[in-house]
Amino acid sequence: MALLTKAPRGTQDILTKDSYKWKFIETVALETSALFGFKEIRTPTFEHTELFCRSVGDTTDVVQKEMYTFTDKGDRSITLKPEGTAGAVRAALENGLLNDALPLKVSYLTSCFRYEKPQAGRLREFHQFGVEMLGSQSPAADAEVIGLANEIFKVLQLKNLTLEINSIGCPECRAKYHTALKEYFEIKKSELCETCLGRLQTNPMRILDCKSAVCSAIAKEAPIVLDYICEECSEHFDGVKKRLDLMGVEYTVNPRIVRGLDYYTKTVFEFISNEIGAQGTVCGGGRYDGLVEHLGGQKTPGLGFAMGLERLLLLMANQGTELPKPRDCELYIASIGEQASLKASELTAKLRSEGFFIECDTMGRSVKAQMKYADKIGAKMSMVLGDSEIESGKANIKDMESGEIKQIDLDGDLMDVLYETGLERATKELEQKMGDMDLSDLLN
Ligand code: HAM
């Protein structure tokens, strides 16, 4: 039988050497959002296909070309979520969350699935951290959501990210803009790809984010949406910019950003890096004031963003960001013989229940092999138990780094030694950190 050792194209395993980095980013994102009042929501990995057709939009690349859609055994059309917003809004409506205090603020971590051509920073299964805020039309909400993304990047110590913002107006300004786009693309009709020919009739704005080289070259000269937005949308955009200025959030207005999903209205934004190759958008978001109504709810404005965790990690790796390493094993208890092995299991359980990270032999290996293993896993201390140690109740505990050996009472001061050395190590690490720190860091 052939070995099944290859994961599907565009997917990746997150191995133990990296999973702590994911956990760190996820924790920072969730905890920073919590300070802004966002609480975590978890929604299903798959939804009815119709949900994405209606929200993301059936003229988008995502819906037309990239969804993982299948018919289940009950003959329903099901789609693996290509993004997190639609599911979060569906869940808010289904569970009556909009009847509680508004704005509703939710955050989420989710796998997303898009059938795209894989490359660095572009996968078929990728992961997003996102937030959605429902119920506020005020530009203060836009500034708050953009400010939150900015704050997460600050806590993660990411450098050289640029924030680009734009307003794509409301349905009224959009209608005028569509007319202008139709006029522009009509002249170049013969050069457009087949998908965009269809879009020319149904949703010409989608031609602007077509990935084909010819269409995107033509789109570069197309009219820009900012020239068509109404007074109310323009005032709203000014309100967002004013607040970002006051908050000290730097941005540039990029009138060419339209985003690739249909639900957006008014403010749209992207955080972009030029250090991770062609897929430089680390975070994207915006307002979607018509979405709730479009999905069958009462007219309720909304907005949010999502950041791609793979792209964040790529950027952090490129910038050499130091992430806190997971804890190492504090004591490895090696044993020789059955009686000592039993004692090792007993001691291990007792010390773990006190919160220490302890390992002992579970492979029945020789003491030499056990010590080799202790070294490999980076155990801070080790101890060997044999018949004489069990009889005397005393054993030697060895500091694996310095080689220093101390004799301890197994049932007495072993715990004290672990506490003391743990404390000593933490103090040393802190001193080292303080030594490395520029005093001006403390004053800032
Ligand atoms: P999006 O721009 O389609 O927006 O995706 C958000 C982020 O997900 C992107 O900026 C990127 O970092 C990451 N991403 C997208 N596709 C891939 C891929 N194939 N591989 C790796 N990373 C990827 C949304 O999904 C909206 N739901 C965001 C939003 C929330 N708007 C309002 N609320």
Side-chain angles (χ1 to χ4, degrees):
M1 209 190 296
L3 276 179
L4 259 179
T5 53
K6 197 137 181 60
R9 190 163 139 75
T11 67
Q12 68 181 14
D13 299 308
I14 298 159
L15 302 177
T16 53
K17 69 181 174 46
D18 291 320
S19 55
Y20 75 94
K21 301 175 191 165
W22 284 77
K23 192 104 208 132
F24 178 74
I25 294 184
E26 291 165 356
T27 306
V28 165
L30 283 172
E31 287 186 357
T32 309
S33 310
L35 296 178
F36 283 64
F38 288 83
K39 294 194 175 123
E40 191 186 358
I41 188 169
R42 300 183 191 199
T43 65
T45 303
F46 55 85
E47 298 271 358
H48 293 292
T49 303
E50 179 60 18
L51 176 71
F52 303 113
C53 296
R54 258 215 252 174
S55 55
V56 172
D58 42 24
T59 54
T60 57
D61 264 8
V62 171
V63 169
Q64 286 188 322
K65 302 178 184 167
E66 298 168 0
M67 292 207 305
Y68 278 87
T69 297
F70 59 95
T71 306
D72 75 1
K73 289 189 174 22
D75 216 22
R76 298 170 200 94
S77 180
I78 294 293
T79 295
L80 302 185
K81 34 174 159 170
E83 56 103 57
T85 309
V89 173
R90 196 262 317 128
L93 283 171
E94 184 169 346
N95 296 287
L97 306 185
L98 296 173
N99 304 329
D100 290 341
L102 294 180
L104 171 69
K105 299 194 223 178
V106 295
S107 58
Y108 53 85
L109 284 163
T110 183
S111 278
C112 295
F113 306 86
R114 296 186 192 175
Y115 192 81
E116 293 191 87
K117 200 168 172 201
Q119 64 180 85
R122 189 159 80 193
L123 289 106
R124 290 184 175 167
E125 179 183 14
F126 61 97
H127 299 81
Q128 286 187 344
F129 169 78
V131 304
E132 311 298 342
M133 187 197 284
L134 295 167
S136 170
Q137 351 196 354
S138 164
D142 304 51
E144 182 105 338
V145 164
I146 297 173
L148 168 57
N150 195 62
E151 186 63 23
I152 293 172
F153 297 138
K154 219 156 103 189
V155 179
L156 292 175
Q157 300 185 11
L158 290 176
K159 293 173 289 229
N160 311 329
L161 273 180
T162 50
L163 164 62
E164 298 189 351
I165 63 171
N166 192 20
S167 173
I168 58 168
C170 60
E172 272 139 61
C173 353
R174 189 78 52 80
K176 287 188 208 138
Y177 182 51
H178 275 181
T179 310
L181 281 180
K182 264 189 185 162
E183 275 169 21
Y184 172 80
F185 284 117
E186 194 70 43
I187 303 167
K188 325 224 169 214
K189 207 165 139 180
S190 58
E191 297 167 61
L192 295 178
C193 76
E194 206 159 306
T195 318
C196 286
L197 263 183
R199 289 168 171 166
L200 182 56
Q201 300 314 320
T202 51
N203 191 355
M205 212 165 100
R206 288 284 69 93
I207 304 177
L208 301 177
D209 42 59
C210 178
K211 287 178 188 121
S212 111
V214 178
C215 296
S216 50
I218 298 173
K220 276 203 176 107
E221 304 297 321
I224 53 173
V225 64
L226 262 188
D227 292 338
Y228 294 84
I229 64 171
C230 66
E231 207 174 311
E232 193 216 315
C233 290
S234 173
E235 267 171 28
H236 190 276
F237 194 41
D238 285 344
V240 178
K241 289 187 285 183
K242 207 182 291 165
R243 283 177 172 80
L244 292 178
D245 291 335
L246 288 171
M247 287 156 63
V249 176
E250 285 179 30
Y251 61 86
T252 51
V253 174
N254 178 353
R256 299 241 164 241
I257 294 186
V258 291
R259 311 272 304 128
L261 314 169
D262 267 355
Y263 46 63
Y264 291 114
T265 53
K266 294 188 178 162
T267 318
V268 288
F269 59 92
E270 291 181 346
F271 284 83
I272 297 167
S273 162
N274 57 14
E275 295 174 18
I276 51 170
Q279 301 306 315
T281 310
V282 169
C283 171
R287 190 166 265 289
Y288 45 82
D289 289 347
L291 180 59
V292 173
E293 204 180 1
H294 204 60
L295 293 180
Q298 306 243 333
K299 192 168 168 39
T300 311
L303 71 160
F305 67 71
M307 41 185 77
L309 300 189
E310 285 80 2
R311 293 186 192 176
L312 274 184
L313 278 150
L314 252 179
L315 186 57
M316 292 176 100
N318 286 356
Q319 296 189 344
T321 317
E322 286 225 17
L323 296 175
K325 293 247 165 31
R327 197 169 157 188
D328 282 319
C329 172
E330 279 146 287
L331 174 67
Y332 182 86
I333 308 180
S335 53
I336 311 166
E338 180 61 10
Q339 223 198 333
S341 167
L342 289 172
K343 183 72 183 171
S345 293
E346 182 195 337
L347 269 177
T348 300
K350 190 168 142 201
L351 294 169
R352 280 184 187 150
S353 72
E354 292 295 320
F356 293 109
F357 179 172
I358 312 291
E359 288 207 45
C360 63
D361 179 50
T362 50
M363 300 280 288
R365 283 196 278 228
S366 71
V367 75
K368 195 172 160 207
Q370 290 182 52
M371 293 313 290
K372 216 169 157 184
Y373 174 77
D375 207 34
K376 234 183 193 163
I377 61 168
K380 300 279 183 203
M381 289 188 288
S382 66
M383 179 169 87
V384 182
L385 298 183
D387 288 344
S388 66
E389 280 79 11
I390 308 293
E391 229 164 78
S392 65
K394 289 184 192 304
N396 287 332
I397 190 164
K398 180 179 170 190
D399 183 314
M400 298 286 278
E401 208 176 272
S402 66
E404 193 190 328
I405 290 174
K406 246 187 223 163
Q407 198 187 54
I408 48 108
D409 280 330
L410 283 179
D411 291 319
D413 48 16
L414 174 56
M415 197 103 74
D416 295 340
V417 171
L418 284 171
Y419 274 124
E420 273 164 32
T421 48
L423 201 64
E424 263 170 41
R425 201 171 303 120
T427 314
K428 239 189 237 161
E429 279 167 16
L430 196 66
E431 278 170 0
Q432 196 171 354
K433 253 195 200 154
M434 299 283 277
D436 292 343
M437 208 190 279
D438 187 343
L439 199 60
S440 57
D441 284 349
L442 286 175
L443 301 173
N444 284 330

